[in-house]
Amino acid sequence: MPAVKVAAVQCSLHWQDPKANRQQLAGQIAALSGQDLIVLPEMFTTGFSMDSAAVAEPAGGESLNWLKQQAVLSGAALCGSVAVTEQGRYYNRLYFVTPEGQYFQYDKKHLFRMAGEHDAYQAGTDRVIVPWRGLRFCLQICYDLRFPVFSRNRNDYDVLIYVANWPAPRRLAWRTLLAARAIENQCYVIGCNRIGSDGNGVEYSGDSLLLDYLGQSLVDGADRAAVLAAELDGAALQQFKDKFPAYLDADGFELTTRR
């Protein structure tokens, strides 16, 4: 298993302004080199807007094309979520796009009802795991972090990715649960959050983290604009799991989707 270089971009976002956000992020991505994967925050084109009819773009639209372009220019896979519309429904959709033009998509399963997300968007149903440069990445979005059964590692992934707009008042929960997911799933965790405030006056503290399989911080974004970069060592992860194979004693379960 190889070492994979990853970077998470922690930044403020322009409210409901996709063009400004794509321009800002293009500059930050251009400044990076040698990465295998670059992770952007949740709804990186608009901020966490519940005005889905106004902000959603067609599936396969401009932001997906932009991600494809940035992946080619950077030589890295790009990962981030946007609001999309498809067949009359709206989704908070996480794209994972490779430089070869291949892409994967995950629709957020757990919608944040306290902000009305369950009324503005349609919930997804399926986990999505992406093989990339020798490691396997499980795609998750923000509120999914509070539901560990959905993200339980069945020895089918090596890295959990959480893209988020996670508010500052609940920063302790964010940091604690990211570490818990790493420990219980014996995996690396990438948690990419935003900073600043949005159009609803919600404040975000960042706290993006890259964690190892022991729940230890590799890089901590704190509360400032930052690009977090680290190398995820697949061989070290496998050695740890060989030495401490807790996953062999995990309980079996069947997951059903609540509708």
Side-chain angles (χ1 to χ4, degrees):
M1 297 177 68
V4 174
K5 294 181 179 180
V6 302
V9 180
Q10 177 171 286
C11 61
S12 184
L13 297 173
H14 301 277
W15 184 245
Q16 299 185 167
D17 191 341
K19 183 177 180 180
N21 285 312
R22 287 192 294 261
Q23 183 176 16
Q24 168 186 272
L25 288 164
Q28 292 173 298
I29 293 167
L32 298 173
S33 62
Q35 301 300 318
D36 295 297
L37 171 64
I38 300 169
V39 182
L40 310 178
E42 177 184 20
M43 289 193 177
F44 68 86
T45 58
T46 60
F48 193 56
S49 172
M50 297 304 100
D51 192 359
S52 51
V55 303
E57 58 185 69
E62 190 169 0
S63 290
L64 177 58
N65 291 329
W66 178 85
L67 286 168
K68 290 179 178 180
Q69 179 188 50
Q70 294 301 315
V72 171
L73 292 172
S74 65
L78 268 290
C79 181
S81 92
V82 297
V84 302
T85 179
E86 185 173 34
Q87 297 181 347
R89 294 182 173 182
Y90 301 101
Y91 299 90
N92 184 348
R93 179 165 293 174
L94 177 57
Y95 287 118
F96 187 109
V97 181
T98 75
E100 293 76 28
Q102 185 179 20
Y103 73 92
F104 304 82
Q105 62 188 43
Y106 161 70
D107 293 330
K108 186 177 182 180
K109 182 179 187 297
H110 300 96
L111 302 179
F112 190 56
R113 67 175 56 250
M114 283 67 83
E117 189 179 17
H118 65 306
D119 291 324
Y121 296 92
Q122 178 76 24
T125 57
D126 301 324
R127 294 202 329 174
V128 176
I129 296 171
V130 179
W132 178 239
R133 294 189 176 172
L135 295 182
R136 299 163 298 171
F137 295 82
C138 182
L139 308 183
Q140 304 271 282
I141 303 175
C142 203
Y143 192 44
D144 286 331
L145 180 59
R146 289 186 176 268
F147 302 93
V149 174
F150 186 62
S151 64
R152 183 66 53 83
N153 196 345
R154 304 167 195 174
N155 206 29
D156 56 354
Y157 67 79
D158 309 297
V159 185
L160 268 172
I161 297 177
Y162 288 98
V163 302
N165 276 205
W166 194 285
R170 292 184 290 279
R171 64 188 304 190
L172 177 61
W174 164 257
R175 297 177 70 94
T176 302
L177 293 175
L178 286 174
R181 297 295 88 82
I183 294 166
E184 70 194 9
N185 291 302
Q186 297 186 292
C187 69
Y188 290 103
V189 171
I190 301 170
C192 183
N193 196 25
R194 63 162 294 179
I195 58 171
S197 60
D198 67 18
N200 294 318
V202 178
E203 296 289 334
Y204 301 91
S205 60
D207 295 300
S208 296
L209 293 169
L210 305 184
L211 302 170
D212 71 8
Y213 41 81
L214 298 174
Q216 300 175 139
S217 175
L218 300 173
V219 192
D220 188 330
D223 60 357
R224 63 191 181 279
V227 176
L228 290 68
E231 191 170 89
L232 308 185
D233 188 337
L237 170 61
Q238 189 59 55
Q239 289 169 9
F240 170 70
K241 292 176 72 173
D242 290 343
K243 183 178 180 180
F244 195 80
Y247 67 92
L248 295 178
D249 300 311
D251 301 307
F253 62 90
E254 182 178 346
L255 182 65
T256 59
T257 299
R258 176 174 295 185
R259 297 186 183 277

